Amino acid sequence: MKKILNVIIIHFYLELKIMFRYLVSSLSDLLLYAGTFVIILFFSNTEQLNLFYHTNKGVFMVLIGYLFWGGGTAAMDTVSQCIENDAKTGILEMEIQSIVPLWGINIIRNIINNIYIWIYLTIIGIALCVISNLSLKSLLYLLFITLIISTVSNLGMFGIGLLFGAGSVRFKYMGQWSMLFQAVLLVGSNITYPVQSNFQLILPYVGGIEITRKLFLNQNINVSSFGYYLLINVCWLFIGILVFNLTMAYEKKKGSFEVY
């Protein structure tokens, strides 16, 4: 147990060190997230959200959706890109030898990455408050409940990222499919509008967005929606870990890590 804890601390330190060394890249990421949110907000129908949720805080409803999408896709993209890059550089085999499973190492990477993502998203939220004369107190409450509830959906999105990572190991170069899936999520989920179909609820963060919006507005929430939200994300995480482990076992037996 002590060895595992030491490995976790070392990986945590290394990921932080890498992040601080690439501050210029971090600034460009902030601008990218801010630009994406502006575009999403521009094409959003806040009046529809106001009517559906019986509120005048449609902009906040869009922000909640964007926070879930931004954090979720980052969780998915981090694991899939790390696995693909490690396979390209030839260190994937070395990581397999660690006493911490590879998916566990990538969870550590995700924690570090999410710290940065939430810094970006908080800055964007504060800027939105300043520009729109929205309540800073309301924003801080929104960020707090979104951070707590999105932790569950980020695990589900992490599971999907493992599926893309498994594809990178088995079929190579899955990056473009991951980007395409992120775009589909942006258009097909409830980021800028309420849930249109129960089918959407199979996506990891859709239920979380609805729960958070109602919590923020002090509206009644069906207890079963929490259970379904948790179940969906546990399933995605389990499926991701299972498929990834099976893929790695197959590659070690019949595949080749040297050829990429």
Side-chain angles (χ1 to χ4, degrees):
M1 186 65 187
K2 186 177 180 180
K3 289 183 178 180
I4 294 176
L5 184 61
N6 287 336
V7 170
I8 291 173
I9 292 172
I10 291 170
H11 276 285
F12 198 85
Y13 170 75
L14 289 175
E15 292 300 322
L16 271 179
K17 192 174 181 180
I18 291 170
M19 285 290 187
F20 278 115
R21 282 191 174 183
Y22 293 94
L23 291 178
V24 174
S25 175
S26 298
L27 180 60
S28 67
D29 288 342
L30 173 59
L31 294 175
L32 179 62
Y33 275 96
T36 304
F37 178 68
V38 170
I39 294 171
I40 290 174
L41 190 59
F42 180 78
F43 288 101
S44 299
N45 187 348
T46 54
E47 288 301 319
Q48 181 189 14
L49 290 166
N50 286 337
L51 288 172
F52 184 86
Y53 293 105
H54 307 290
T55 183
N56 61 352
K57 299 179 179 179
V59 173
F60 274 149
M61 300 298 99
V62 176
L63 180 59
I64 289 171
Y66 179 71
L67 291 174
F68 271 86
W69 177 82
T73 54
M76 181 188 77
D77 198 46
T78 298
V79 59
S80 61
Q81 289 298 318
C82 284
I83 293 171
E84 184 171 315
N85 290 336
D86 289 350
K88 288 179 181 178
T89 54
I91 65 174
L92 192 62
E93 274 191 290
M94 295 174 58
E95 291 180 329
I96 294 173
Q97 311 305 319
S98 171
I99 58 176
V100 178
L102 191 55
W103 59 267
I105 293 173
N106 280 286
I107 282 183
I108 299 170
R109 289 169 171 167
N110 256 294
I111 292 173
I112 300 297
N113 187 64
N114 267 311
I115 292 173
Y116 273 80
I117 296 301
W118 273 94
I119 291 174
Y120 303 153
L121 297 177
T122 300
I123 293 173
I124 293 170
I126 293 173
L128 180 64
C129 282
V130 173
I131 295 171
S132 306
N133 293 319
L134 298 173
S135 168
L136 182 60
K137 182 179 179 181
S138 295
L139 172 69
L140 293 176
Y141 174 63
L142 181 152
L143 290 173
F144 175 73
I145 59 175
T146 303
L147 175 62
I148 298 300
I149 297 174
S150 66
T151 301
V152 176
S153 59
N154 285 351
L155 289 175
M157 293 295 289
F158 176 82
I160 294 177
L162 285 175
L163 294 178
F164 282 106
S168 296
V169 173
R170 182 69 185 91
F171 303 109
K172 323 303 180 187
Y173 304 109
M174 291 289 290
Q176 297 304 317
W177 285 102
S178 177
M179 292 293 291
L180 179 61
F181 185 68
Q182 291 179 39
V184 170
L185 289 175
L186 181 60
V187 176
S189 58
N190 58 334
I191 297 170
T192 60
Y193 53 84
V195 169
Q196 305 290 316
S197 167
N198 288 333
F199 181 74
Q200 291 175 295
L201 293 173
I202 66 172
L203 297 175
Y205 59 76
V206 169
I209 292 175
E210 293 302 308
I211 291 171
T212 305
R213 284 171 176 170
K214 290 180 180 180
L215 274 177
F216 179 71
L217 297 172
N218 292 317
Q219 296 179 358
N220 293 328
I221 303 173
N222 193 329
V223 177
S224 63
S225 62
F226 282 100
Y228 187 77
Y229 174 59
L230 180 61
L231 177 63
I232 284 293
N233 284 285
V234 169
C235 287
W236 278 117
L237 179 61
F238 175 77
I239 292 170
I241 292 175
L242 177 64
V243 172
F244 182 73
N245 285 341
L246 290 174
T247 301
M248 294 302 294
Y250 177 85
E251 286 298 304
K252 283 193 288 185
K253 185 177 180 180
K254 297 184 178 180
S256 174
F257 289 105
E258 289 78 17
V259 180
Y260 202 91

